[in-house]
Amino acid sequence: MNILIVITNRYRNPVPVMPVGACSVADAVEKAGHRVRVLDLMFEQDPLSAMEKELEKLSPDIVGLSVRNIDNNDMQNPVAFFKDLKPLVDSIRSRTQATLVLGGSAVAVMPEELLRYTGADWAVLGDGEVVFPELLKALSQGRIPDRMPGIAWREDNIIKKNSGAAVRFSDGCLVPNFHRWINIHAYISRMSTVPVQTKLGCHFKCVYCTYRKIEGHDYRLSASESVVDTIQHLAALGLRDIEFVDNVFNSPYDHALAVCDGLAKVRPDVRLQSLELNPLFIDDDLLAVMEKAGFVGIGITVESASGTVLEGLNKGFTVEDVFNAARIIQRHKLPCLWIFMLGGPGETEATVQETLLFAERFIRPGDVAFFNMGIRIYPGTELEQIARRQDVLALSTEEMLEPVFYFSPSLDLDWLKSALCKVMAAHMNYINSNTIGFSFLPIMNRLGYRLGVKPPLWKHTRFIRRGLRFFGMDV
Ligand code: SF4
């Protein structure tokens, strides 16, 4: 069959994210014997006409729309990406008879709502490189694959769904053939990193999380040797900025240690980073071996330094764990991005002050603190239940496609904004979602690349903010 895969993500802040999932799906579909073309809309000037040209060239039997995010998760400046799908779908429907399949992480989070909104025929719920070829096989044989796990579909205007996850990491191949499908230079020249996952799944139960819906609760680990081979393979291709994008990189601890140990032994010529460290599993041994392996930056997602809020978010670690991780990080040289989310269940002015005081005391001037406000509520999460119990959410799940956020009813938003404004003015190494959404950021990324600046860009926050302040543009 002729298959067109359209990568719909066009969001470039803070950097464009390489479409690892869609490229892996394209690899798998080609391996299954189909004729495949990938259209990446990320850098297209006129996405609609670019897609229309592809439709004409290929006359596809199936069009797969890959959807990364429903929105930008930013309460202050929300952008609803899902609305970009409607014109694409309308155009496909008016020009072809192709079957329309949705896939990508956004679709795993709200499949029914996105199927209804777009009017697409099928939705693939995660692990697309396994499920999509199976779906194609069934469709090419004229079968209705209604027992296949990991799909949703429309039947007489009723949405049906089969949950379940397929097996990945079975052949040790962790990255797709990026060069075959996308303009990789366009990404690299905007400071993008190559995403690599060493595992799928997450054992934690944070109240707002959708990742477990996408990847499941059980860990599926890639052998540490496969990870090392993959990194060496990428280095040989000249792809040197690599980011581990696991839900939590250092859990299970032994697996992370084995991966870093393997990398430290071969020491490939790469710059590694991961922004997904959990304070529970940080110790001197791990950070030392990460340094040896070639890590140039880490991120730690603590969300809060208040015990009340950590409990409210069900983070699975305590404020003592946060303090302990901070002391360990201070003993090492790795630059660290601290990630906080203010306004969760139980948040008050006093708990915000606890977090700000922690940042003041423990975050080194060369490190960076990122403060987000509010939490996107997705259907099916515990946060949705909390919000309904507290009477701060009255929307139906259908209406929740529009960005909707939780913000603690015990906290005043204006107070929080002004408190953050004050600390950001005093600390040039603090950033918030306005910084990430800064309209000149894509231009700065390109400029940084030309000047030979290496990712991660956040390491240079103090200098960037000072420069912006000089021009009266500080965020
Ligand atoms: S640790 Fe991360 S992936 Fe795991 S449940 Fe919490 S937010 Fe989700």
Side-chain angles (χ1 to χ4, degrees):
M1 288 201 285
N2 285 351
I3 316 295
L4 175 64
I5 295 175
V6 182
I7 300 169
T8 62
N9 181 31
R10 290 172 51 74
Y11 197 57
R12 299 186 206 171
N13 285 43
V15 293
V17 177
M18 276 189 210
V20 63
C23 292
S24 303
V25 170
D27 274 354
V29 171
E30 189 169 64
K31 206 165 149 195
H34 302 283
R35 185 172 170 226
V36 189
R37 281 187 66 87
V38 170
L39 172 66
D40 182 6
L41 298 181
M42 177 62 80
F43 307 111
E44 291 293 341
Q45 298 282 340
D46 182 348
L48 199 56
S49 74
M51 188 193 70
E52 285 163 1
K53 273 185 210 144
E54 287 295 331
L55 292 174
E56 210 161 286
K57 250 192 263 168
L58 187 68
S59 299
D61 303 295
I62 309 275
V63 178
L65 287 182
S66 169
V67 193
R68 184 172 190 271
N69 292 116
I70 295 169
D71 56 84
N72 63 348
N73 274 303
D74 180 355
M75 188 176 82
Q76 293 201 81
N77 315 288
V79 184
F81 302 138
F82 73 90
K83 291 184 179 164
D84 297 343
L85 298 175
K86 222 26 189 303
L88 297 174
V89 170
D90 289 347
S91 171
I92 295 164
R93 290 298 196 208
S94 68
R95 284 173 162 74
T96 74
Q97 297 292 315
T99 301
L100 194 46
V101 183
L102 301 179
S105 46
V107 177
V109 174
M110 296 181 78
E112 292 97 335
E113 293 79 6
L114 284 169
L115 274 175
R116 262 191 213 103
Y117 176 78
T118 58
D121 303 300
W122 298 88
V124 170
L125 322 175
D127 290 336
E129 63 275 47
V130 181
V131 177
F132 192 45
E134 283 297 312
L135 176 62
L136 295 180
K137 190 170 160 192
L139 294 177
S140 68
Q141 294 167 351
R143 283 190 286 124
I144 300 295
D146 53 5
R147 294 186 179 203
M148 183 187 291
I151 55 166
W153 69 100
R154 287 187 313 130
E155 204 175 288
D156 301 329
N157 255 350
I158 296 170
I159 307 288
K160 301 202 169 172
K161 186 171 85 172
N162 293 343
S163 49
V167 179
R168 257 165 78 183
F169 294 159
S170 52
D171 62 0
C173 177
L174 300 186
V175 286
N177 186 1
F178 284 118
H179 290 91
R180 166 91 174 80
W181 307 114
I182 57 172
N183 178 354
I184 199 139
H185 178 73
Y187 283 90
I188 302 285
S189 65
R190 288 166 173 87
M191 310 282 272
S192 301
T193 51
V194 180
V196 173
Q197 269 183 299
T198 75
K199 72 179 82 70
L200 298 167
C202 180
H203 272 185
F204 290 88
K205 293 178 177 164
C206 307
V207 295
Y208 52 87
C209 185
T210 54
Y211 287 111
R212 277 171 300 136
K213 215 170 172 183
I214 302 169
E215 295 183 0
H217 184 253
D218 294 328
Y219 284 126
R220 289 174 279 159
L221 307 175
S222 168
S224 57
E225 300 79 19
S226 293
V227 179
V228 174
D229 288 349
T230 300
I231 303 302
Q232 288 183 301
H233 167 69
L234 291 170
L237 292 173
L239 300 173
R240 303 200 188 285
D241 286 291
I242 294 162
E243 182 171 348
F244 292 112
V245 292
D246 302 1
N247 293 325
V248 182
F249 176 68
N250 57 341
S251 169
Y253 173 85
D254 289 345
H255 182 253
L257 199 63
V259 166
C260 295
D261 211 30
L263 288 165
K265 284 192 182 106
V266 296
R267 195 58 181 92
D269 181 14
V270 290
R271 292 174 290 273
L272 302 168
Q273 49 171 312
S274 174
L275 298 185
E276 303 297 346
L277 267 70
N278 182 305
L280 263 184
F281 308 104
I282 284 184
D283 66 12
D284 288 305
D285 290 345
L286 181 65
L287 292 192
V289 77
M290 286 175 89
E291 282 169 316
K292 272 194 214 145
F295 274 77
V296 293
I298 55 171
I300 178 164
T301 315
V302 292
E303 317 293 23
S304 172
S306 153
T308 312
V309 178
L310 290 175
E311 219 170 280
L313 295 170
N314 199 23
K315 288 300 295 178
F317 54 79
T318 64
V319 73
E320 286 73 33
D321 297 318
V322 175
F323 278 70
N324 187 42
R327 287 190 199 98
I328 295 166
I329 287 169
Q330 283 181 335
R331 294 200 284 268
H332 295 264
K333 290 200 180 104
L334 277 174
C336 183
L337 172 65
W338 288 83
I339 299 158
F340 300 98
M341 191 164 61
L342 303 173
E347 190 87 86
T348 60
E349 287 184 16
T351 61
V352 171
Q353 296 291 14
E354 284 179 66
T355 297
L356 296 179
L357 188 64
F358 166 84
E360 175 87 42
R361 280 180 57 201
F362 284 98
I363 297 183
R364 301 169 293 191
D367 289 342
V368 176
F370 170 64
F371 296 98
N372 205 0
M373 286 193 250
I375 312 175
R376 172 66 155 106
I377 311 173
Y378 289 105
T381 58
E382 210 185 318
L383 187 64
E384 182 197 4
Q385 303 309 320
I386 294 171
R388 292 198 190 282
R389 276 201 303 272
Q390 293 182 348
D391 279 336
V392 292
L393 176 72
L395 300 174
S396 68
T397 52
E398 202 75 21
E399 291 166 316
M400 288 167 72
L401 257 185
E402 288 285 348
V404 48
F405 294 86
Y406 179 90
F407 190 79
S408 168
S410 312
L411 184 64
D412 180 66
L413 181 59
D414 289 332
W415 177 87
L416 179 61
K417 280 183 187 168
S418 122
L420 266 188
C421 234
K422 267 188 220 146
V423 291
M424 282 187 62
H427 297 85
M428 299 308 276
N429 58 334
Y430 287 10
I431 53 177
N432 64 10
S433 59
N434 289 338
T435 327
I436 304 271
F438 185 50
S439 56
F440 287 104
L441 202 51
I443 297 168
M444 282 166 51
N445 284 334
R446 299 207 71 179
L447 192 66
Y449 176 80
R450 288 203 185 139
L451 293 172
V453 176
K454 305 293 181 207
L457 195 66
W458 56 259
K459 278 201 304 190
H460 311 286
T461 295
R462 276 183 304 165
F463 307 104
I464 296 170
R465 280 199 57 206
R466 281 202 189 108
L468 289 174
R469 184 176 273 190
F470 181 77
F471 290 108
M473 295 160 68
D474 191 18
V475 278

